[in-house]
């Protein structure tokens, strides 16, 4: 493999970009966890001190997070944490719903496309869904459900679908924290939307899988908007 030509290196390290991604990840996680709340100002100098990086990566990180919808930047006012609004919830869930249908179409297009190792992973997560539904806290239920959804997407091997779906998981986690959603029938949801979806995948029943996926996301969207 040729690494360089007469004009210099073909590939060069992007340390500034790495710093920007690091800063964005840290700020994003703090927003998701509720350490930075809606309306809180995100002051560049304070962030640089906290992250121990220069000001430019922090500024670029805030711009990146603004594009993702986590941050709002106003002229002469700087950056602040954006509040969750109905349009954002609807957009995120409609995109994830559509990506899931693409995944189901791909997985069930022909027998045997869903690998046994992926099926075993889904079976374990479905078992956990029922088990975690009996816990007092809903934290494990939410975490497991997001992992179950991602496992279906991952099983396709479709890299763009996997990437886009995964990126939007951060939004879902933020919705849960900021809106304080309470899951009132976790056992029923586990049986109806996880176990039954697993069974439809195992049986190769695309129509039923589509119906369950649609119903699952429609109920989640309704829950958030309520």
């Amino acid at each position: 493999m040729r690494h360089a030509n007469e004009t210099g290196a073909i590939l060069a390290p992007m340390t500034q970009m790495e710093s920007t991604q690091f800063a964005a990840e840290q700020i994003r996680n703090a927003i998701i966890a509720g350490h930075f709340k809606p309306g809180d100002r995100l002051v560049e100098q304070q962030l640089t001190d906290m992250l121990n990086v220069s000001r430019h990566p922090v500024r670029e990180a805030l711009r990146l997070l603004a594009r993702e919808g986590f941050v709002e930047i106003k002229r002469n006012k700087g950056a602040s944490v954006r509040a969750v609004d109905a349009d954002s919830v609807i957009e995120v869930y409609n995109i994830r719903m559509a990506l899931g249908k693409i995944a189901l179409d791909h997985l069930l297009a022909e027998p045997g496309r869903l690998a046994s190792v992926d099926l075993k992973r889904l079976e374990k997560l479905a078992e956990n869904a029922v088990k975690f539904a009996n816990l007092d806290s809903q934290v494990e239920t939410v975490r497991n459900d997001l992992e179950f959804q991602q496992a279906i997407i991952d099983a396709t091997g479709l890299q763009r679908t996997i990437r886009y779906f995964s990126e939007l998981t951060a939004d879902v986690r933020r919705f849960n924290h900021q809106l304080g959603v309470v899951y009132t029938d976790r056992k029923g949801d586990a049986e109806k939307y996880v176990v039954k979806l697993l069974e439809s995948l195992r049986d190769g029943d695309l129509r039923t899988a589509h119906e369950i996926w649609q119903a699952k996301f429609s109920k989640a969207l309704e829950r958030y908007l309520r």
Side-chain angles (χ1 to χ4, degrees):
M1 178 177 178
R2 188 167 62 93
H3 295 284
N5 58 24
E6 295 80 1
T7 61
I10 295 174
L11 301 178
M14 296 293 290
T15 55
Q16 190 71 60
M17 183 180 295
E18 291 171 359
S19 296
T20 296
Q21 293 296 335
F22 168 77
E25 181 179 4
Q26 294 295 311
I27 298 168
R28 185 189 301 111
N29 288 340
I31 293 172
I32 290 171
H35 300 307
F36 296 141
K37 301 185 182 302
D40 284 354
R41 288 191 62 217
L42 299 170
V43 181
E44 288 182 11
Q45 187 57 57
Q46 292 177 354
L47 294 172
T48 59
D49 293 340
M50 295 169 68
L51 294 167
N52 194 29
V53 297
S54 62
R55 198 158 184 167
H56 181 72
V58 169
R59 185 177 296 118
E60 290 302 311
L62 292 174
R63 289 173 179 167
L64 173 61
L65 293 171
R67 291 195 294 272
E68 293 179 1
F70 283 79
V71 169
E72 185 175 22
I73 299 176
K74 292 184 178 180
R75 191 172 183 179
N76 300 324
K77 290 186 178 181
S80 61
V81 178
R82 183 187 291 273
V84 172
D85 56 47
D87 287 342
S88 296
V89 175
I90 292 170
E91 179 185 26
V92 167
Y93 266 82
N94 281 339
I95 294 173
R96 282 172 69 88
M97 191 187 302
L99 291 171
K101 289 179 179 179
I102 291 172
L104 294 173
D105 287 342
H106 178 80
L107 287 173
L108 301 182
E110 57 186 55
R113 182 168 281 183
L114 178 59
S116 59
V117 64
D118 293 315
L119 183 58
K120 287 180 180 178
R121 181 187 177 194
L122 290 168
E123 289 171 345
K124 179 61 176 177
L125 291 167
E127 291 175 6
N128 288 342
V130 176
K131 180 174 67 175
F132 294 155
N134 295 316
L135 299 177
D136 291 336
S137 172
Q138 67 181 26
V139 172
E140 287 301 314
T141 291
V142 174
R143 181 195 60 75
N144 189 77
D145 190 57
L146 290 175
E147 190 175 345
F148 178 77
Q149 296 172 31
Q150 190 66 51
I152 293 174
I153 306 299
D154 290 345
T156 67
L158 300 173
Q159 293 305 310
R160 294 176 182 81
T161 302
I162 292 170
R163 183 172 78 252
Y164 300 149
F165 193 89
S166 178
E167 288 174 354
L168 290 173
T169 299
D171 287 281
V172 177
R173 291 168 58 203
R174 178 169 61 121
F175 297 160
N176 272 302
H177 278 89
Q178 290 193 12
L179 300 178
V181 173
V182 176
Y183 298 81
T184 55
D185 185 16
R186 287 186 282 142
K187 185 175 181 180
D189 288 347
E191 293 172 348
K192 188 184 302 182
Y193 301 123
V194 179
V195 175
K196 292 296 185 183
L197 182 53
L198 169 65
E199 291 174 354
S200 67
L201 287 166
R202 187 188 289 140
D203 296 340
D205 186 347
L206 178 60
R207 183 181 64 81
T208 300
H210 264 276
E211 290 176 353
I212 296 173
W213 185 268
Q214 174 81 33
K216 175 181 177 64
F217 277 76
S218 294
K219 180 171 183 178
L221 183 57
E222 176 188 346
R223 184 186 290 123
Y224 281 119
L225 294 179
R226 189 189 310 128

